[in-house]
Amino acid sequence: MSDVKKILIIRLSALGDILLTTPVIRSLKNKYPDSEIDFLLKREYSDTLKYNPYINNLLFFGDKYYQANYDLIIDLQNNHSSKKIISKLKAMRGKTKVYRFNKPQLKKFMLVNFKINLYKEILQIPEMYAASIPDLKLDDKGLDLFLGDYGYVELEKGEYIGIAPGSRHFTKRYPLNYFAELGNLLSSGGFKILILGGSSDKIICRELENRIPDSINLCNENQLLLTGRYMNECKLVITNDSGLMHVASALQKPVIALFGSSVREFGFVPYKTKNLLLENNSLSCRPCSHYGREECPKKHFNCMMKLIPSLVYQKTIEFMEI
C-alpha cells in the first residue's frame, strides 16, 4: 500500500493501552513517511499523545471527525464503539482498508477460567498490535511519551525512588501497609520517596504519605505530563500493574512491577525498559481475572500477601546494583 496518504488509528482508552500503541505509531510513520496519521481517543487521555511528533491530528471520541478520507484505518480498540465509527467512515469512502487488533479472547478465557495455557509464546501488547497490520515491523525502541514544554520540576538533591501505589482494581494493588513498610525500608537506606498517582489514587497516596516520614506526595488531578516530569527525577519506579507502570516504561525508567492477579501472558509487562517483575508463581489460582477484581475470590490474596516488603526491598537493592 505505497499510496497510503492518510491513516487513522483508533484506541479510545485507557492510559496504558494508548501508550502501548506508540511503537506502532512510530513504525507506521517510518513505513509511510509521507502519510498523515490521525489518532482517535477519549479526550481525558489526550496528554499521552499531545506532543507526539508522529501524529498530525488528535481526534476525540464524541466529536465530529467524519470528514476525512482515510486510506487506512487501524482499529486497536476493536469493540462496538470503534466498529460503529468505522462503519460511518467506510460509508463515506468504500475503498478504505481496515485492520483490526485480533484480541486473544479465547486464550484469556481459558487461562482465567480453566487455567489452560494456550499461549504458545508470550508477546507484549505492542507486538500483538503490530501483528494485526500486514508487513509492519517494530523497531527496537520502547514506548513514547513526549513531555513537551510542560515545565521544570525542582526537587532537592537526592536519590529518589518513585512509588505508584494505585491501580484500578483491588487484586492488582500491592497492600498499602506493605507499600508503607517498603517505603520506610528504602527511606532508612538513604532514598527519598516520591509518591505518584492520579485523581483516583488520592486517598491511598495521602495515607502512604502519612505512613512514610519525609516522603513527598505528588499525587495530582491526572496531570500526566507533570507526573512524567517527577518520574524523570527517579532512580527507579515501583508500581503495580497500572497505567503508571507504562508511563515509567515510556520514560525509560527502570521499573519494578508487582503483579498480583495479573500474569505476563496477557502482554502488559514493562516494554523495552530495564525491569523486574515480582509475582507469586506458586499459586494455582492465578490469574483469577484479566482485568482485575474488587476482592480475592479465594479470600487469602496470597498473590500479593506473599510478596512481603522485606523480599521486595531485597530484590529492589539487588536490581539497582545490576
Side-chain angles (χ1 to χ4, degrees):
M1 294 183 66
S2 58
D3 58 340
V4 172
K5 298 300 181 185
K6 287 189 70 68
I7 300 172
L8 175 65
I9 302 172
I10 302 174
R11 180 72 218 195
L12 305 178
S13 63
L15 172 58
D17 301 274
I18 294 170
L19 286 173
L20 289 165
T21 70
T22 56
V24 171
I25 298 169
R26 189 174 62 242
S27 297
L28 281 168
K29 192 62 177 179
N30 289 333
K31 184 177 178 65
Y32 305 112
D34 297 325
S35 66
E36 292 185 11
I37 299 178
D38 293 350
F39 198 107
L40 174 62
L41 73 168
K42 291 184 178 179
R43 189 178 294 274
E44 59 262 39
Y45 302 112
S46 62
D47 280 353
T48 56
L49 302 175
K50 183 176 182 179
Y51 294 108
N52 191 302
Y54 308 113
I55 295 174
N56 293 85
N57 299 292
L58 286 184
L59 309 177
F60 300 116
F61 182 61
D63 290 355
K64 294 181 179 180
Y65 43 81
Y66 300 114
Q67 291 79 14
N69 289 324
Y70 293 102
D71 302 300
L72 177 59
I73 298 176
I74 299 168
D75 181 5
L76 299 180
Q77 189 77 44
N78 196 4
N79 65 5
H80 176 74
S81 294
S82 63
K83 289 176 181 178
K84 187 176 179 180
I85 292 164
I86 291 170
S87 67
K88 292 182 179 180
L89 290 169
K90 286 198 74 176
M92 296 182 65
R93 187 181 183 190
K95 293 183 179 180
T96 301
K97 186 67 178 177
V98 178
Y99 296 124
R100 287 189 170 91
F101 172 40
N102 183 21
K103 297 180 179 181
Q105 300 286 39
L106 177 61
K107 293 177 182 179
K108 289 187 288 188
F109 178 83
M110 295 299 290
L111 188 54
V112 168
N113 293 283
F114 300 104
K115 305 302 180 283
I116 297 174
N117 193 340
L118 300 178
Y119 290 86
K120 294 181 180 179
E121 59 178 334
I122 298 177
L123 297 176
Q124 293 184 258
I125 291 296
E127 297 167 332
M128 295 186 200
Y129 284 159
S132 64
I133 307 164
D135 301 319
L136 184 71
K137 297 186 183 300
L138 298 180
D139 57 31
D140 292 327
K141 300 176 183 178
L143 308 182
D144 286 326
L145 177 60
F146 297 93
L147 301 179
D149 55 357
Y150 196 82
Y152 176 71
V153 170
E154 185 173 358
L155 295 170
E156 293 181 0
K157 290 184 179 180
E159 283 199 298
Y160 289 100
I161 289 181
I163 290 180
S167 189
R168 185 170 297 181
H169 300 285
F170 170 80
T171 57
K172 287 187 174 184
R173 291 198 294 268
Y174 194 57
L176 187 62
N177 60 320
Y178 276 19
F179 259 133
E181 186 176 340
L182 174 62
N184 281 303
L185 286 169
L186 291 166
S187 183
S188 65
F191 298 101
K192 295 184 177 181
I193 305 302
L194 301 184
I195 302 170
L196 307 165
S199 58
S200 62
D201 307 319
K202 283 184 175 181
I203 295 176
I204 57 176
C205 286
R206 188 181 306 117
E207 183 64 26
L208 200 57
E209 177 188 16
N210 292 335
R211 297 191 189 190
I212 305 175
D214 301 320
S215 62
I216 304 173
N217 183 3
L218 300 172
C219 185
N220 56 54
E221 295 290 342
N222 297 330
Q223 296 166 277
L224 178 62
L225 302 179
L226 178 59
T227 297
R229 290 289 184 193
Y230 286 125
M231 271 193 184
N232 268 339
E233 301 297 315
C234 296
K235 186 180 181 70
L236 68 89
V237 180
I238 304 174
T239 80
N240 300 310
D241 177 8
S242 67
L244 289 188
M245 178 184 75
H246 300 297
V247 172
S249 299
L251 296 172
Q252 290 296 300
K253 305 307 296 184
V255 177
I256 292 181
L258 305 169
F259 270 38
S261 60
S262 310
V263 292
R264 63 183 71 228
E265 279 83 355
F266 296 147
F268 294 94
V269 296
Y271 184 71
K272 292 189 181 297
T273 192
K274 180 182 177 183
N275 71 88
L276 175 64
L277 198 157
L278 297 179
E279 57 187 335
N280 184 353
N281 287 316
S282 68
L283 298 173
S284 61
C285 54
R286 289 180 70 232
C288 63
S289 168
H290 173 227
Y291 297 105
R293 292 175 174 267
E294 296 314 306
E295 63 179 4
C296 170
K298 298 292 187 180
K299 308 302 181 186
H300 54 62
F301 199 33
N302 281 339
C303 57
M304 285 296 197
M305 297 305 296
K306 294 296 184 180
L307 299 178
I308 58 175
S310 58
L311 171 65
V312 178
Y313 173 73
Q314 176 188 345
K315 295 293 184 182
T316 299
I317 298 301
E318 293 171 358
F319 177 69
M320 286 190 288
E321 293 174 349
I322 296 175

